[in-house]
Amino acid sequence: MIKSVGVSICGAIAAFLSSTASAVDVSDMAGLAAAIAGNDDITLTTDIDCAGWTTAASYSGTIDGQNHAIKNLTVAFINAVGEGAAFENLVIKDAVWTWTKDEIRDYGDHVGGLAISMTGANIVLRNITFSGCAMKAWATTSSTVSNARAYYG
């Protein structure tokens, strides 16, 4: 009886381990978008040109950039980063974000390059580098923008 319980416990552990998804290797913008949409854990295998990127709605997986770059962003990478997400060993390179007065009004001090907002606990940001990046906020002379802060992350 004990032996059969031991076998079923081992079988359950083996089934669990085989069902645990490993990170998805990503080498282009389409693969990155699909992996983020699937909330997959991601490993970048090369620098990725993200010119034309559309901000991803939300993400709570792990991205290990392996010191590769996500390049040429013009919008925030992800709208909402959720509980347990991790971004490690990642370079954001040659990105230029431009925010209008309406976006600043709508998002306030939550405009950013990596994410617009981060909610929840246990979010890890480790070894993130911004290189050649700029943020611009545009307002007409008749508008008032208060409490706006430009920051990258």
Side-chain angles (χ1 to χ4, degrees):
M1 184 78 150
I2 293 174
K3 187 173 186 179
S4 114
V5 170
V7 169
S8 66
I9 289 172
C10 288
I13 291 170
F16 170 77
L17 292 175
S18 68
S19 70
T20 303
S22 61
V24 174
D25 288 343
V26 173
S27 61
D28 61 23
M29 187 170 71
L32 183 61
I36 289 173
N39 214 37
D40 297 323
D41 290 339
I42 298 166
T43 301
L44 298 186
T45 59
T46 189
D47 291 355
I48 297 177
D49 187 345
C50 285
W53 178 261
T54 301
T55 302
S58 64
Y59 185 70
S60 58
T62 297
I63 297 177
D64 182 352
Q66 298 192 102
N67 297 311
H68 291 294
I70 293 174
K71 303 185 301 184
N72 301 315
L73 288 169
T74 57
V75 295
F77 185 52
I78 297 173
N79 182 27
V81 173
E83 174 126 5
F87 296 84
E88 301 176 310
N89 310 313
L90 184 63
V91 178
I92 306 295
K93 186 175 181 182
D94 299 333
V96 178
W97 299 280
T98 303
W99 300 98
T100 66
K101 69 177 180 70
D102 293 331
E103 289 167 326
I104 293 170
R105 180 198 64 225
D106 294 343
Y107 298 118
D109 62 356
H110 297 290
V111 296
L114 183 59
I116 292 174
S117 69
M118 295 187 183
T119 58
N122 304 316
I123 295 172
V124 175
L125 301 174
R126 183 178 299 122
N127 194 25
I128 308 297
T129 303
F130 291 86
S131 173
C133 298
M135 292 188 119
K136 299 177 182 178
W138 297 102
T140 64
T141 55
S142 62
S143 64
T144 302
V145 177
S146 61
N147 298 323
R149 295 180 206 100
Y151 59 91
Y152 289 118

